[in-house]
Amino acid sequence: MTVVDWIFIITPCVLLFLIIFIKFITPIIESFLIVIKFVKDIVNIIKSKKQE
C-alpha cells in the first residue's frame, strides 16, 4: 500500500468517526450543562430561603 492509498482510506474513516463522536457527545454536553444550570438555580433558591 502506498501513502496515497492510506490517506484515502484513513481520512474518510477519521472523518466518519469524528462525525459520529460529535453526534453522540453533543447531547451529553448539552444535558450536562442543563444539569449544572439546574443545580445553580437550586443553590440560589436555597441561599435566598436561608436569608429570609
Side-chain angles (χ1 to χ4, degrees):
M1 281 186 116
T2 63
V3 173
V4 173
D5 285 344
W6 271 107
I7 288 171
F8 272 103
I9 288 168
I10 288 176
T11 306
C13 287
V14 168
L15 282 173
L16 191 68
F17 179 79
L18 275 175
I19 288 168
I20 291 169
F21 185 73
I22 287 169
K23 274 195 185 298
F24 273 97
I25 207 79
T26 304
I28 293 170
I29 290 174
E30 283 180 348
S31 58
F32 191 67
L33 286 174
I34 288 169
V35 167
I36 288 176
K37 187 181 178 300
F38 188 68
V39 167
K40 279 184 172 176
D41 286 351
I42 287 176
V43 166
N44 283 338
I45 289 168
I46 289 170
K47 277 183 176 172
S48 66
K49 286 229 184 288
K50 277 187 171 170
Q51 284 175 354
E52 279 175 14

